[in-house]
Each structure stands twice: as structure tokens, then as C-alpha cells.
Amino acid sequence: MEQKLQILLDTVRKLTRRGAYPNLTKVLAKSHPADIAHLFRYLDLKEQRILFNLLDDAEVSAYVLSELDHATGAQLLEQIDKETITEVLQEMPYDDAVDIIRNMPEELAEEVLQIMKDEHSDEIEELLKYGEDTAGGIMATEIFSLREEMSVQEAIEALQGAEDVEMVFYVYVTDEYNHLVGVLSLRQLLTVPPSALLKDIMTTEVISVRTDIDQEEVAQLVAKYNILAIPVVDDGNKLMGIITVDDVIDVMREEATEDIYKMAGSSDEELLYGYKSFKIARLRLPWLITNLFGGVITGYLMWLFKVTLKEVIALISFIPVITGMGGNVGGQSATIVVRGFATGRIDVNTMRQVFLKELRVGLIMGVVCGVTIGVVAFGWHHNPYLGVVVGIAMVTAMTVAATMGVMAPAFFHKLGVDPAIASTPFVQTANDITGILIYFGTATIFLDYLR
């Protein structure tokens, strides 16, 4: 399969370079929409625009846009006429169309909604009221539900006539006021007497979410209960929409990608800039500047201990080891905690156990590495006290680093700030500073023995 896609990608790029657009159109016409959408991930914005303009089927265009990030989708639509934009958006699920409209310039978005001016725009405008990263923002509103007073026979007939609705293996049951009161599986409907009433066979304990809940919490609930979909209700428990597992997978991928970028001190906005070096550099610079000043502080601390360093010049041999190991351990702990918060495995109630666990892990690794580097220091400089100083500093620095890797993300989480930003760049800088303080502080205490 990979080989087939690679051949298709090479063919598309070759035809694009040659400007052989008639041939390119034929290739696209013979390709599955999923393969076309996959191609777009490997093309820059210029190439994407060329290909998108060659798609003459609104349904295929809608499928491709649904698979791309929403900002890129908006950029591709901005280059075509407004009537065609509305045609493509009307072929998309409402939740995907809403996300793309959110990323359009405000004036263009209003014009597109004005042109649509039908039931599509009503549904889209309703979804636009919700936050982009909330359950209301990602739910599908074309849902199928049944009244609790219906019989199984009537329910099956209604199911057979249902079209263009978001439905999986669950059927949601509502009362006369559209309040969510129960849920049924399709299997249940087929295995009970046709005369049975839905209210007598439905499960009344329904796992649901409010429209304003964060999408990450939705993903956690779906993963926790192993369900294929989750209904969305308003404050009055009225059924508003449904979030299916494919949307949840997109959320998980999006949140994981976002965390990885933040942990690296970058942003997923880079994807929008293609090969624009200056704009990408502008996104990465803030964290690098932070690390730069952290390095200056580390250098200043070393300057403060210049007397100690002058007296025992051999101490300089192990500065990279102390700071490097501390940064690595802190980064590992921070990554575990950030991912724990993201998946729901770590919360306020479990922080104490996590802290103590990382403290023990840091201590164990510190002892092993401390003894090792202590022996190396003794063998290298033939000074047993230097080995003791380096060993103690290593044990202390790695233990402190492990605990800081827990406390920093927890602190940011407590403040309501994404803990991912407290991971590698922040912890690395902080541990460089504490590592230097611990190392030279220990050396100063033992200075009389080191001379």
C-alpha cells in the first residue's frame, strides 16, 4: 500500500512540475478520495492549491478538506469563488465545515454563510456558537433518535427510513421534549419482541457530555468506557448532537501533536508556513531566548563560584555531566506527567503518589550514576574526595531534577496553563541552574579536602 501511494505521490509531483494539468486531472479522477487526501499531507501549500483546483467534484473536495487541518483547508478554499466554497462546505459534515469557517477571514465567512442561507447555514451558525475545542464545537448535529413511547417494530421501521444521519451501533432515546432518557444498541432492537416499548428495554444510565466540556475530556471518557460514540446534551439535558469515535481519534491526534510541539518549544502553526524560514524561526525563538537567558544565569552562577573553580580546576571536567544528566532526568519525569495529565491517568488525587514514585526513581538512578561517575572522577584525577563530591552532586542533582519534572507541570496545571509548556525547555533550563548550584555548592563545602 505504501509503495502504491509513493508511486502516486511521485507521479503527481512530476506532473505538477511539468505543468501537465490535463494528465494530472486524469490521475486524480482515477484515485480514491482517501488516497488524494493522503497525498496532500506531503505537499506544500502551493502544490496543494494546484491539486485542489483540479478537483472538479465537490464531494471529493469536501472529503480532502475533512482530512486536512482546518487552517490549511480554509486557505485552500479562500482562493476559489464563494459559490464553489458553499458547494464544498455543504458536502461536508457540519462540524468539519464549522471548523474551516472559523479559520476563514471574518468577512469571507460572513459572505459564505449569507450565500448558503438555508438549513445548512442554520446548523452551521448554531455550531459556531460553541467553542472550537468543546464538545459542542466538534459534535455532529445530524443525529437519529427515537421517542421512548415507540415500540420496537416502529423503531426498526424508523431506522430503515433514516438517511444522512450520524449513527453508529447505538440508538438514543428521548422523551417528548427531546430530553435524553436512554440508549439502546441495534442488537437489542433485533433480539426483543416487536411489541415491546423502548422505555421498557432501554438503558437509562447514559454516558453523555455537556456542550461546553473540553474536547480532551470527551476523548478521555470515550477511551475510559470503550464506547463508539457519546451523546452531547445542553444544560437542560436536551439531546444536541453526537460525537463518534472517528472524531475522538482526531481529537487525540490533535492534542498529542499539540503537546509534542509545545514540549519542543514550537507550535503546529509551522505546518501552515511550509518552508517560510523566517516565520518558522519566529515561532521557535521565544523558547530559545528563554533557554539563552537560562544559560547566562548558569554562567553567572559559575562565575560566583570562580574561587572554588580556580582552586580545583578539575571540577570543570564534570560540569557537562551534572547538568546534562539532570536535564535528561527532569525531561523524562516531565514527559510522563504531561502525558498523564493529557490521558487522565494523573490528576490532583494521584499527584502525591506520582511525586514519591519519581523521587524514588530519581534517587535510584542518581545513586547508580553517582557511584559510576565518582569512580571515574577518582580514576581520572586520582583524588578520592573529588570522586565523593561529584558522586554526591550527581545523586542530589538527579533526585532534585526528577522531582522538578513532576512539580513544574503540576504547577502549570494548577494555574490552568497547559502543562506541556513546562516540559523539556523549562525543566532543562531550571535543572541546569540547580545542577550548577548543587555541584559547586558541594565542592565549596569540601574545598579544604579537594585542594
Side-chain angles (χ1 to χ4, degrees):
M1 192 62 181
E2 286 295 328
Q3 185 177 3
K4 174 188 172 184
L5 288 174
Q6 186 60 51
I7 293 172
L8 180 59
L9 178 62
D10 293 341
T11 301
V12 166
R13 280 179 168 161
K14 186 186 298 181
L15 293 175
T16 302
R17 284 196 301 269
R18 292 177 179 174
Y21 299 140
N23 293 337
L24 191 54
T25 302
K26 292 178 183 178
V27 170
L28 294 176
K30 295 178 181 178
S31 302
H32 192 281
D35 292 333
I36 297 174
H38 190 77
L39 284 178
F40 273 65
R41 300 176 187 174
Y42 301 96
L43 304 174
D44 59 34
L45 188 58
K46 181 180 178 181
E47 293 170 324
Q48 288 178 348
R49 282 175 170 163
I50 292 173
L51 251 65
F52 189 76
N53 286 334
L54 294 176
L55 299 175
D56 54 5
D57 188 321
E59 191 173 344
V60 174
S61 299
Y63 187 99
V64 170
L65 291 181
S66 296
E67 294 298 312
L68 299 176
D69 67 89
H70 304 128
T72 301
Q75 288 181 330
L76 292 175
L77 284 178
E78 286 171 25
Q79 63 177 331
I80 61 180
D81 62 272
K82 300 177 184 63
E83 285 72 19
T84 306
I85 292 177
T86 58
E87 287 179 21
V88 174
L89 290 177
Q90 287 172 345
E91 292 291 337
M92 299 178 69
Y94 292 145
D95 52 330
D96 288 330
V98 165
D99 287 329
I100 288 180
I101 290 174
R102 278 198 178 103
N103 284 277
M104 287 181 174
E106 188 174 343
E107 185 178 340
L108 176 60
E110 289 178 358
E111 289 180 15
V112 169
L113 289 172
Q114 189 68 25
I115 293 173
M116 294 174 77
K117 241 183 177 179
D118 56 13
E119 71 277 2
H120 293 287
S121 62
D122 290 339
E123 294 281 359
I124 289 174
E125 286 180 350
E126 185 66 28
L127 287 175
L128 284 169
K129 296 177 183 177
Y130 303 109
E132 184 175 359
D133 296 330
T134 63
I138 63 173
M139 69 181 178
T141 55
E142 314 98 307
I143 56 173
F144 181 83
S145 62
L146 298 169
R147 292 283 183 251
E148 61 180 339
E149 299 295 338
M150 294 178 70
S151 67
V152 170
Q153 180 65 42
E154 291 171 330
I156 292 175
E157 290 174 359
L159 277 167
Q160 290 173 340
E163 294 181 2
D164 298 327
V165 293
E166 191 76 53
M167 184 172 59
V168 283
F169 296 106
Y170 311 123
V171 177
Y172 298 103
V173 184
T174 59
D175 62 16
E176 58 181 319
Y177 302 107
N178 200 39
H179 294 126
L180 181 63
V181 294
V183 63
L184 288 164
S185 69
L186 296 182
R187 182 178 178 276
Q188 279 179 282
L189 284 178
L190 298 174
T191 56
V192 296
S195 60
L197 297 180
L198 298 187
K199 65 180 181 181
D200 295 329
I201 63 171
M202 67 185 184
T203 300
T204 55
E205 294 181 3
V206 188
I207 300 167
S208 62
V209 294
R210 303 292 185 192
T211 53
D212 59 351
I213 192 174
D214 187 86
Q215 62 177 11
E216 197 167 355
E217 294 182 53
V218 175
Q220 290 171 6
L221 281 173
V222 171
K224 178 180 179 180
Y225 293 104
N226 292 317
I227 50 182
L228 297 173
I230 191 165
V232 183
V233 297
D234 65 8
D235 292 336
N237 201 42
K238 285 187 177 180
L239 183 61
M240 304 300 292
I242 182 176
I243 299 172
T244 53
V245 69
D246 57 319
D247 293 318
V248 171
I249 291 172
D250 289 340
V251 169
M252 288 179 167
R253 182 171 57 192
E254 179 185 320
E255 295 289 344
T257 301
E258 183 181 338
D259 285 348
I260 290 170
Y261 275 118
K262 286 180 179 177
M263 290 166 65
S266 186
S267 166
D268 56 1
E269 287 181 55
E270 283 195 22
L271 299 177
L272 304 180
Y273 293 143
Y275 300 100
K276 297 177 181 177
S277 304
F278 283 102
K279 289 186 176 181
I280 292 174
R282 181 170 55 83
L283 288 174
R284 298 186 188 182
L285 273 173
W287 268 123
L288 293 178
I289 295 297
T290 302
N291 284 343
L292 179 65
F293 281 106
V296 171
I297 294 173
T298 302
Y300 176 69
L301 291 174
M302 292 174 62
W303 176 254
L304 292 180
F305 287 100
K306 60 182 178 294
V307 174
T308 302
L309 191 57
K310 182 179 179 181
E311 290 288 333
V312 188
I313 195 66
L315 289 171
I316 201 171
S317 308
F318 302 98
I319 293 175
V321 181
I322 299 293
T323 56
M325 293 299 288
N328 288 336
V329 171
Q332 289 173 340
S333 297
T335 301
I336 294 297
V337 175
V338 168
R339 192 58 190 154
F341 279 131
T343 58
R345 293 180 180 273
I346 296 177
D347 55 28
V348 177
N349 298 321
T350 59
M351 277 309 303
R352 184 172 179 274
Q353 294 95 311
V354 174
F355 177 84
L356 293 176
K357 183 259 292 184
E358 289 299 322
L359 175 64
R360 292 192 298 270
V361 170
L363 181 60
I364 292 169
M365 294 190 300
V367 168
V368 173
C369 294
V371 170
T372 303
I373 197 65
V375 171
V376 170
F378 171 65
W380 185 357
H381 296 286
H382 308 292
N383 186 334
Y385 291 106
L386 180 62
V388 171
V389 166
V390 175
I392 292 175
M394 179 66 78
V395 173
T396 308
M398 289 182 67
T399 305
V400 169
T403 57
M404 285 183 65
V406 176
M407 291 189 295
F411 173 72
F412 277 75
H413 183 73
K414 183 75 173 176
L415 293 179
V417 178
D418 193 331
I421 67 173
S423 122
T424 309
F426 180 87
V427 172
Q428 179 75 51
T429 302
N431 282 325
D432 284 349
I433 294 171
T434 55
I436 288 296
L437 283 173
I438 291 168
Y439 183 40
F440 282 103
T442 306
T444 302
I445 293 171
F446 286 87
L447 187 57
D448 291 338
Y449 299 94
L450 292 173
R451 289 192 178 102

